[in-house]
Amino acid sequence: MTTTSTPKILVVGGGIAGNAVALQLLRAGIATTVVERATTPRPGGQAVDLRTASKEAAERMGLMPGIGKLRVHEQGWAYVTEEGRTYARIDVDMFDGEGPAAEIEIARGDLNQVISTARRPATRNSSRRSWTRPRSCPAAASR
């Protein structure tokens, strides 16, 4: 007799990558638990530019409405002298959108919030406080 069981996945790390993987597993009907060392989400962080492949991935994952609400509305860069005179400018639409200023930019913490919110209803979260290391894990025992 052959039995099949539904897989249960443990994702270690509740950052952008871990939450994105958990979201896609959840959408595939796979039970997922995310564990994270930090007890609270890390806000802010360096901005993430969404261009070509990353923008397409965000669109396919249905994240663009959330990203649109939290994105940085950058229009470009200006280089300014100490006296306040602009001597160079790089607009978002320069270089066919492939320049240093991106049309869609979002802080890392905000992007992670968008992904977490999308997966939250059916994915279990565990923080450092509630996660117990398995006793049979030699790496865990040596810490």
Side-chain angles (χ1 to χ4, degrees):
M1 172 190 249
T2 303
T3 61
T4 58
S5 63
T6 304
K8 295 177 184 174
I9 304 295
L10 174 67
V11 177
V12 179
I16 292 170
N19 281 319
V21 166
L23 175 61
Q24 294 305 93
L25 289 168
L26 171 67
R27 289 179 174 169
I30 299 171
T32 305
T33 299
V34 176
V35 293
E36 168 58 48
R37 180 186 318 184
T39 56
T40 60
R42 297 178 193 133
Q46 183 65 33
V48 175
D49 293 345
L50 295 182
R51 305 170 190 255
T52 54
S54 58
K55 182 179 175 185
E56 181 181 337
E59 288 170 346
R60 287 176 150 184
M61 293 173 74
L63 301 175
M64 291 307 290
I67 289 170
K69 291 176 186 172
L70 297 176
R71 66 177 263 215
V72 175
H73 293 279
E74 181 180 36
Q75 296 176 0
W77 297 357
Y79 294 92
V80 182
T81 66
E82 288 181 9
E83 295 79 32
R85 185 180 60 81
T86 300
Y87 64 91
R89 179 179 303 279
I90 300 174
D91 294 324
V92 170
D93 57 356
M94 293 176 77
F95 309 105
D96 294 324
E98 296 301 320
E103 176 189 359
I104 301 173
E105 194 171 278
I106 184 169
R108 294 183 64 79
D110 291 343
L111 178 56
N112 197 31
Q113 178 186 335
V114 169
I115 298 168
S116 296
T117 300
R119 71 157 185 83
R120 192 167 288 139
T123 306
R124 190 173 150 230
N125 274 316
S126 292
S127 70
R128 184 178 184 179
R129 290 184 188 160
S130 61
W131 182 48
T132 304
R133 290 186 183 134
R135 292 176 192 244
S136 61
C137 179
S142 67
R143 290 185 181 183

